[in-house]
């Protein structure tokens, strides 16, 4: 019986001894229990979410996407907004306008539109939702467009112009925004 417990105890002791090095930097127990920076395999955003003063003329609850800043603002009360870092459309794929969130999905499936498949015939025709899916943990669909505000498993793309017109957020940030807005929320996309 003692030998049965000896191996796991030795393994824990070895891990504890090495925890002062690289292992301690990469492991966050919140990732297992929920809420840590790698829980959704999206990593932390290189552009941290923050509350800022915001003097736009938009009603609280409105989402304002500023493509030139590569930031998304959720307008709050008292002249404030939550500011998130986003990835935007690359050259030729940026757009502007006003839409509403028409659907919200957790761990959405992805079916690339025909326009994307024409450019990238190597893409899958359909992909079930999950950690490997490019739409990430959450998606909010924008009116009758092909575009979404969605998560990403590539946090290094936040703050970059890399998409085909959708707005990417880290899985942690998109989950936060998803919980704060509802179907019908106005989304203003500024393309300056």
């Amino acid at each position: 019986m003692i030998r049965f417990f000896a191996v796991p105890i030795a393994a824990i002791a070895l891990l504890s001894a090495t925890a002062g090095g690289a292992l301690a930097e990469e492991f966050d127990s919140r990732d297992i229990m929920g809420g840590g920076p790698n829980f959704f395999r999206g990593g932390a955003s290189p552009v941290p979410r923050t509350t800022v003063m915001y003097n736009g003329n938009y009603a609280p609850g409105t989402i304002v996407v500023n493509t030139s800043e590569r930031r998304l603002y959720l307008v709050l009360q008292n002249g404030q907004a939550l500011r998130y870092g986003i990835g935007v459309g690359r050259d030729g794929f940026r757009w502007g306008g006003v839409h509403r969130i028409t659907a919200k999905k957790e761990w959405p499936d992805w079916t690339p539109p025909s326009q994307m498949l024409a450019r990238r015939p190597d893409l899958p025709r359909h992909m079930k939702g999950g950690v490997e899916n490019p739409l990430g943990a959450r998606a909010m669909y924008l009116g009758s467009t092909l575009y979404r505000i969605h998560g990403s498993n590539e946090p290094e793309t936040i703050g970059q112009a890399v998409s085909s017109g959708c707005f990417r957020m880290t899985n942690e940030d998109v989950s936060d925004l998803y919980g704060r807005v509802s179907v019908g929320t106005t989304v203003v996309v500024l393309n300056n």
Side-chain angles (χ1 to χ4, degrees):
M1 184 67 135
I2 293 174
R3 275 189 257 175
F4 179 76
F5 290 109
V7 172
I9 290 171
I12 291 169
L14 179 61
L15 285 174
S16 297
T18 60
L23 282 177
E25 293 173 12
E26 295 173 13
F27 180 74
D28 185 330
S29 64
R30 294 176 302 161
D31 291 337
I32 295 170
M33 301 308 292
N38 298 310
F39 181 65
F40 293 115
R41 278 194 59 202
S45 177
V47 181
R49 174 178 66 232
T50 188
T51 301
V52 297
M53 296 307 296
Y54 190 81
N55 60 5
N57 292 322
Y58 302 103
T62 302
I63 293 173
V64 180
V65 175
N66 189 315
T67 58
S68 62
E69 286 182 17
R70 299 177 185 165
R71 301 292 184 272
L72 180 150
Y73 297 87
L74 175 60
V75 180
L76 305 173
Q77 299 283 345
N78 303 319
Q80 295 185 321
L82 273 175
R83 181 177 63 196
Y84 301 84
I86 58 172
V88 300
R90 61 188 180 274
D91 288 342
F93 290 92
R94 285 189 284 277
W95 59 279
V98 178
H99 291 282
R100 293 194 181 276
I101 294 176
T102 52
K104 293 171 53 178
K105 296 188 180 172
E106 296 184 17
W107 296 107
D109 289 353
W110 179 52
T111 302
S114 58
Q115 299 90 325
M116 185 179 283
L117 289 171
R119 291 189 311 273
R120 294 276 317 274
D122 59 310
L123 292 174
R125 297 313 184 246
H126 181 79
M127 195 172 188
K128 294 296 283 176
V131 294
E132 299 298 325
N133 187 305
L135 295 184
R138 306 287 184 270
M140 291 157 275
Y141 296 75
L142 302 178
S144 60
T145 73
L146 297 173
Y147 307 116
R148 297 167 289 276
I149 299 167
H150 65 80
S152 176
N153 52 18
E154 299 175 312
E156 67 277 5
T157 65
I158 304 308
Q160 306 297 316
V162 293
S163 79
S164 293
C166 288
F167 306 110
R168 297 179 179 189
M169 304 175 79
T170 63
N171 284 328
E172 186 177 351
D173 280 352
V174 80
S175 295
D176 181 79
L177 179 65
Y178 185 96
R180 295 175 186 271
V181 299
S182 59
V183 170
T185 295
T186 300
V187 179
V188 178
V189 179
L190 306 174
N191 185 23
N192 315 2

